Amino acid sequence: MNITKRQFLKGSVASAFAIGSVASASAKALTPDTKWDDEADVVVIGFGGAGASAAITAHDAGSNVLIIEKMDAPGGNTAVSAGGFMIPDDINQARKYLAGSYQYCHAEMDEQLLDAFCKGTGELRDWLTGLGDNVGMFVYGYAGFKNLEGADTIKRYRIRGQKGGPKKGSGDCLFDLLKGAVEKRGIRTMLSTPVVAIIRDGDEVVGVEVQKNGQKQNIKAKKGVVLATGGYEFDPESLQNYTMGYGIGAIGNPGNTGNGLRLAQSMGAKLWHMNAYSAFLGVRYPGYKTSVSISPKGAGYIWVDQDGKRFSSEKVDGHCQMYVASHLDAVRHCYPRIPCYLIFDQATADKGPMGSSLGSGYPINREGHRWSKDLSKEVEMGLLKKANSIAELGKMLNLPEGQLEKTVEKWNTDVKAGKDTEFGRPIRAKGKGSYTFDGPEISAPIENGPFYAVELYPTLVNTQGGPRKNVKGQVLDAFGNPIPRLYVAGELGSMWGPIYQGACNNAESMVFGRIAGANVAQETPLK
């Protein structure tokens, strides 16, 4: 059959093509009977860090902007994150470092996107401090991969909280600055309003259909639409199709259910980085909407699989922990590391609270989650197993008899000898850690009872996959051409591969939010 790309996208084939392997979504065709209930030059879908950055920039370029958010409060993943964003000391050295992260994992890298990102990070400090009064920022972390060239230039920053103001998480401090800039400009927002379809005229985006107060409305986008909806961390079907393993949880905004992914596919978008995500090992803590992070402050702990054996250095970069757990045993046909178990002793428990030092996640920042200081609450709940001996703990976990004792004994022997002979976990830190609060002691024996265990599951911070974009922030179709008037920013279709440098998602959200906002504002308005 002879058919051009334009005919392909215009015709009925487009709907079938766009649906893909996730829940169906089809763009709505403009007809002579289409009635517009509202309009704006630029419609931004999603009011997190990326959406806010796009809206601010488009507004400052002279466009009338409308932000549409399906949740009842804005913020997205940005507001519940650790609030970090990368600003390197030297953008050229940063480019070498980040290019190395792609090579490290053989991920698809776009040279132009990387150049634009690095240039954009060099502009972030002035842009952010210009959004408010007396905006301060500070360094809290460094490079996650010390072996890559250029690592010394990487710095992670946070926004300081307002002096004398209420105590807030670092994600809220960052998002409050962006949200304040949106409000100061009088940019219109619609909350509790899911976008249910893109409205197209042939292969061109002309508006969106929303669900508002139980009624469907059509909103015209005279210049274009920016997708800033976040990823698919809470979409079971997408997780089933694009991740390895099972039982995968997440700690971010529960609103990230893959809507933007489906909207992009409805216009024939090309997808990339669908196997890339930032994910650690977390806990299913009863009573909370999302999973919960756990981070021992002491150094006497290990991970073991369902055979009671260690399977990795436990000091793997936190953003990559899910990859070591999602191992399919092709002989036994199972995932022996899902769940796996965190094993630690009383000395480690006594070092401090088990919550993450980063203070990130929906349970912490929206539901007030805190681990009990003495872990008694978690033991009483059955979340933590507590035993007077390693042998007893192994029985409680139904591990092979005697194996956990052998594993712990080997660990203790190695640590006392000054070398992890199994996985090379360092005993003491050398130089700067990834974060300013990293302690010098990295490994310690597990020998001071009582002893504890908790089940760990793969836990997403965020997904990176989604529609492929170009250096202007335009969504590309399956043929690699820009879809007219459709832009994207943020973790949806992120530029990052499986090896992810922390604080680069918030940075990308702002950098490409600004790029998308600037370019969509230059479009010729529809009549």
Side-chain angles (χ1 to χ4, degrees), residues 209-477:
E209 181 183 58
V210 305
Q211 189 85 25
K212 182 67 175 177
N213 298 324
Q215 301 292 322
K216 288 186 176 180
Q217 297 181 11
N218 296 327
I219 301 176
K220 187 175 185 178
K222 296 170 68 177
K223 291 185 176 181
V225 170
V226 180
L227 297 175
T229 60
Y232 57 86
E233 300 94 279
F234 295 90
D235 178 26
E237 187 174 2
S238 293
L239 293 177
Q240 181 71 40
N241 280 282
Y242 300 125
T243 63
M244 286 285 290
Y246 72 98
I248 297 169
I251 65 166
N253 186 321
N256 284 12
T257 55
N259 302 65
L261 179 62
R262 290 183 284 276
L263 291 173
Q265 283 189 290
S266 77
M267 288 298 298
K270 181 178 184 178
L271 303 184
W272 75 332
H273 292 164
M274 298 305 294
N275 64 339
Y277 24 81
S278 165
F280 58 89
L281 296 175
V283 178
R284 293 175 170 177
Y285 201 114
Y288 291 86
K289 289 183 179 180
T290 74
S291 296
V292 169
S293 58
I294 182 169
S295 180
K297 305 303 178 291
Y301 68 90
I302 57 174
W303 299 330
V304 301
D305 61 18
Q306 293 160 27
D307 295 319
K309 299 177 181 180
R310 290 180 68 214
F311 54 88
S312 169
S313 167
E314 295 79 8
K315 294 305 291 186
V316 63
D317 184 82
H319 293 283
C320 301
Q321 289 178 0
M322 177 172 164
Y323 292 110
V324 298
S326 299
H327 163 70
L328 176 64
D329 185 325
V331 176
R332 294 185 292 174
H333 305 116
C334 67
Y335 289 96
R337 303 170 188 174
I338 304 178
C340 57
Y341 305 96
L342 174 69
I343 308 295
F344 60 99
D345 65 0
Q346 189 63 48
T348 292
D350 289 341
K351 287 287 186 178
M354 301 301 284
S356 169
S357 300
L358 291 172
S360 61
Y362 191 90
I364 294 174
N365 292 293
R366 293 295 178 268
E367 299 180 287
H369 175 268
R370 297 291 183 273
W371 288 87
S372 62
K373 290 185 177 180
D374 62 0
L375 300 178
S376 59
K377 178 178 70 173
E378 289 78 13
V379 171
E380 184 178 351
M381 292 168 58
L383 185 68
L384 281 181
K385 304 295 184 185
K386 180 180 180 180
N388 291 321
S389 70
I390 294 295
E392 181 185 353
L393 191 64
K395 290 180 180 178
M396 295 174 73
L397 298 175
N398 294 314
L399 300 179
E401 185 174 355
Q403 183 57 57
L404 187 59
E405 298 100 298
K406 292 178 183 178
T407 299
V408 172
E409 182 180 1
K410 172 64 174 171
W411 168 252
N412 290 344
T413 300
D414 277 2
V415 172
K416 291 174 183 178
K419 183 179 181 180
D420 175 13
T421 60
E422 292 187 289
F423 299 104
R425 174 171 155 185
I427 305 302
R428 294 185 65 81
K430 295 179 181 179
K432 291 186 300 186
S434 297
Y435 301 101
T436 55
F437 43 76
D438 285 344
E441 188 179 51
I442 291 177
S443 303
I446 301 171
E447 55 188 2
N448 297 302
F451 303 95
Y452 299 87
V454 60
E455 282 187 348
L456 301 179
Y457 283 85
T459 302
L460 291 162
V461 176
N462 65 279
T463 57
Q464 312 288 14
R468 178 81 184 258
K469 62 175 177 260
N470 65 14
V471 74
K472 291 184 176 182
Q474 295 170 300
V475 175
L476 302 181
D477 67 21

Side-chain angles (χ1 to χ4, degrees), residues 168-179:
K168 292 186 175 183
S170 294
D172 275 322
C173 290
L174 173 59
F175 184 70
D176 282 355
L177 176 62
L178 297 169
K179 178 167 158 286

